[in-house]
Amino acid sequence: MTYLRLFYEFFKTGLFAVGGGMATLPFLYDISDRTGWFTHAQLADMVAVSESTPGPIGVNMATYVGFLTGGLGGAAVATLGLIAPSICVILIVYAFLQKFRDSRYVNGAFYGLRPASTAMILAAGLLVVKATFLANGVAAFDWRLAALAAVLVALTDFVPKVKSLHPIVFILGSAVVGVVLRLAE
């Protein structure tokens, strides 16, 4: 029964999370609240692990939740549930677009999906910020981590040589800085 529920929950998530892996976060918060399979704190950890491992973020998180809930079988079922709608939709859209490739209505629909995807990703980002800076309803703001984030944003946006570095360099560097900051407390 758990496998069926995993497939169903992640099928819904895969069907409606338009905009990529981060757009699955609002659905995952809802799954957490309704099922109790994982906590919001664990979800923040899932985002960190999914961001730092190879592969699509949404698929990584589905696999992670599935593994937590049902072991290897649960990981496979949750992953399949998440990707099944995409495969079905892609096949349908492909057939549809072949017939209506030059339709202004089809072009308008795709134009309208852009702000919806942006809003879902922004909402997911705000949930991650809330989980990061609020622990159990108490402000847990650490100015050193905010400064690290600001420095990383500035470096990646404004310094051309840094911009060309592999993201792993930033992840590992941030992890080292985090360990140093923790040990300094």
Side-chain angles (χ1 to χ4, degrees):
M1 188 65 174
T2 302
Y3 287 170
L4 184 60
R5 179 94 188 265
L6 270 170
F7 184 85
Y8 173 70
E9 293 295 339
F10 281 99
F11 186 87
K12 289 188 310 185
T13 301
L15 188 60
F16 295 111
V18 178
M22 294 306 278
T24 63
L25 278 178
F27 295 97
L28 289 171
Y29 277 103
D30 182 56
I31 291 171
S32 169
D33 293 339
R34 285 186 296 101
T35 65
W37 288 336
F38 52 92
T39 65
H40 287 208
Q42 286 175 307
L43 186 55
D45 292 340
M46 278 186 244
V47 171
V49 170
S50 296
E51 287 273 352
S52 61
T53 55
I57 296 167
V59 173
N60 289 347
M61 288 192 288
T63 306
Y64 193 105
V65 171
F67 185 79
L68 281 178
T69 307
L72 288 176
V77 167
T79 303
L80 183 62
L82 186 77
I83 65 170
S86 297
I87 293 169
C88 294
V89 168
I90 287 168
L91 292 174
I92 292 167
V93 167
Y94 175 77
F96 179 75
L97 287 178
Q98 289 304 325
K99 293 180 182 179
F100 301 102
R101 184 179 306 184
D102 297 322
S103 169
R104 66 179 206 179
Y105 297 113
V106 171
N107 289 332
F110 280 110
Y111 184 75
L113 285 173
R114 290 180 193 148
S117 297
T118 303
M120 289 182 76
I121 292 169
L122 179 62
L126 292 174
L127 288 172
V128 170
V129 168
K130 181 180 175 187
T132 302
F133 292 121
L134 293 178
N136 300 322
V138 179
F141 184 76
D142 187 341
W143 66 269
R144 298 172 303 175
L145 295 179
L148 174 62
V151 167
L152 288 173
V153 167
L155 286 174
T156 57
D157 281 349
F158 302 114
V159 180
K161 281 194 173 203
V162 174
K163 195 184 272 192
S164 66
L165 289 175
H166 197 280
I168 297 281
V169 173
F170 293 105
I171 293 167
L172 293 176
S174 296
V176 168
V177 170
V179 168
V180 170
L181 291 174
R182 257 315 172 199
L183 294 175
E185 289 180 347

